[in-house]
Amino acid sequence: VDREIEELCRAVRLIVMDVDGVLTDGSIELTSGGAGLGALPTESKTFNVKDGLAIRWARRVGVETAFLTSRSSGAVERRAEELSVTRLVTGASDKAPALLALCQELGVAPAEVAYLGDDLPDLAPMRLAGLAIAVADAAPEVREVAHWVTDAPGGRGAAREAIEAILRTQGRWQRVVDHHMTEEPDEWRD
Ligand SMILES: [Mg+2]
């Protein structure tokens, strides 16, 4: 991460993540909904444990987190809950106003937001965010507007890479490491 990006990382108070293609590789598995014709399909997604730990740690050391997705699924609700994400915004068909509403609710300026995206619906919110991050396999237009492109692709450690860089720049990463060096009884446990 170069110096210019470090400057942008330092201002971050809220990390907003798209879900499909950022926290996952973009795959969506639909399973028939069990009993009864017309039962709703169940959606299953694969998340990355290293991403998940970083998401949880961010909030533990004082950086708020949010998932912002245009879809809705039980899998995302469950993931957000188990990672104690500050806010889960689903069904956001237009992500820029959704991001602004989220900022207002949390009392964070858009300039203090890091936004992780992968595809065209992320362009508008990325242009509002102080730090726009594209995953390695994002659409070319998304990589173009991003301040920084991760080495890792979506669902394969991109969120971990981004969050770790932000926390390191802010001097918060060492608190995470220190925490795991000790054997304090532990409100951080999964
Ligand atoms: Mg996406």
Side-chain angles (χ1 to χ4, degrees):
V1 182
D2 67 28
R3 295 192 74 85
E4 193 184 331
I5 303 306
E6 279 189 4
E7 275 308 308
L8 299 176
C9 284
R10 232 165 250 131
V12 172
R13 293 175 54 212
L14 167 65
I15 301 169
V16 179
M17 289 154 273
D18 172 42
V19 175
D20 293 294
V22 170
L23 298 180
T24 75
D25 67 4
S27 301
I28 296 170
E29 187 176 304
L30 294 177
T31 321
S32 69
L37 282 175
L40 286 174
T42 302
E43 197 163 302
S44 102
K45 298 179 193 295
T46 303
F47 294 99
N48 182 290
V49 73
K50 292 184 174 66
D51 288 347
L53 286 168
I55 291 166
R56 185 184 282 113
W57 293 333
R59 194 160 181 216
R60 294 289 188 197
V61 297
V63 179
E64 304 291 359
T65 56
F67 295 171
L68 174 53
T69 172
S70 57
R71 299 179 64 86
S72 299
S73 79
V76 172
E77 283 172 28
R78 179 169 162 198
R79 190 63 173 156
E81 190 179 324
E82 70 186 6
L83 299 180
S84 300
V85 167
T86 310
R87 285 290 183 281
L88 167 63
V89 183
T90 60
S93 52
D94 198 344
K95 289 184 172 182
L99 176 63
L100 292 175
L102 181 66
C103 284
Q104 187 153 34
E105 187 196 344
L106 296 176
V108 173
E112 298 171 319
V113 170
Y115 185 100
L116 277 76
D118 75 302
D119 216 337
L120 305 188
D122 301 310
L123 283 173
M126 285 174 78
R127 294 184 67 207
L128 294 171
L131 174 57
I133 302 170
V135 299
D137 56 340
E141 294 84 355
V142 172
R143 283 186 276 128
E144 183 65 35
V145 304
H147 297 104
W148 177 39
V149 181
T150 61
D151 291 331
R156 297 281 185 274
R160 171 58 169 265
E161 186 182 336
I163 293 168
E164 184 173 331
I166 290 164
L167 297 184
R168 280 185 189 282
T169 304
Q170 297 186 353
R172 297 179 199 261
W173 186 255
Q174 193 57 44
R175 279 176 56 199
V176 177
V177 176
D178 289 348
H179 178 86
H180 288 90
M181 291 284 196
T182 64
E183 293 178 45
E184 297 160 14
D186 190 355
E187 78 284 12
W188 286 32
R189 195 160 295 157
D190 301 351

